[in-house]
Amino acid sequence: MAIQPIRLFGDPVLRRPALEVVDFDKELRTLVADLTETMLEAPGAGLAAPQIGVGLRVFTWHVDGEVGHLVNPDLTLSEEVQDGDEGCLSLPGLTYDCRRALSVVARGWDMHGEPLVVEGSELLARAIQHETDHLDGVLFIDRLDTAARKAAMKEIRESEWFGLERPQVKVSPHATRGLGL
């Protein structure tokens, strides 16, 4: 287990759709451990593999004292919606009101390849939707209305971290699996 650098807005890995996990092995368990440790250290309510530079469909969450993870998620969203503050570890310091489904049923697998169903509402539903978006190359600012998105982009450009050199991380075995490398 190791705390990994979190990739910031502007890093291309955050905009690439992640690949399905096909091997439920020790490397995947290490990735889940790294995601969990990094998320808890940050601290955050969730963290997706692309945020640490790994293009695989895996995320972790920490909501209401519960820590969990999901591999290859497939979501069913409620029609009822919620509005609420949302932020992102890849966009430090930004918080904007974002509309999400009020509840979610997420189906996928755990790190051992066992089927997993996670049902949640409010903050857990928001976290699961946010992290699944990361796996699709979508950031929460993409879901804001035009005025809020424009304000967020202005805030990003004026932030202390924007334009800083991205962390140089050695390529992990997680990052190359499934890419033919």
Side-chain angles (χ1 to χ4, degrees), residues 4-25:
Q4 301 295 322
I6 295 173
R7 303 298 180 93
L8 299 176
F9 177 85
D11 191 313
V13 72
L14 296 174
R15 291 302 192 170
R16 281 188 222 118
L19 299 172
E20 293 281 323
V21 171
V22 294
D23 294 323
F24 291 81
D25 56 11

Side-chain angles (χ1 to χ4, degrees), residues 26 51 54 58 74 84 88 99 101 105 153 168:
K26 182 179 178 183
Q51 290 180 274
V54 179
V58 182
D74 180 47
C88 180
R99 179 165 284 184
V105 176
M153 292 304 297
Q168 297 299 310

Side-chain angles (χ1 to χ4, degrees), residues 57-112:
R57 297 187 67 77
V58 182
F59 69 81
T60 56
W61 75 84
H62 180 220
V63 175
D64 297 331
E66 178 186 353
V67 176
H69 70 277
L70 195 58
V71 179
N72 298 336
D74 180 47
L75 307 186
T76 302
L77 305 176
S78 68
E79 290 186 24
E80 193 175 3
V81 297
Q82 62 174 318
D83 290 305
D85 285 345
E86 196 162 322
C88 180
L89 295 173
S90 293
L91 296 154
L94 265 72
T95 305
Y96 282 87
D97 195 49
C98 185
R99 179 165 284 184
R100 297 281 186 180
L102 178 62
S103 61
V104 64
V105 176
R107 290 175 176 79
W109 287 263
D110 70 12
M111 65 181 140
H112 303 287

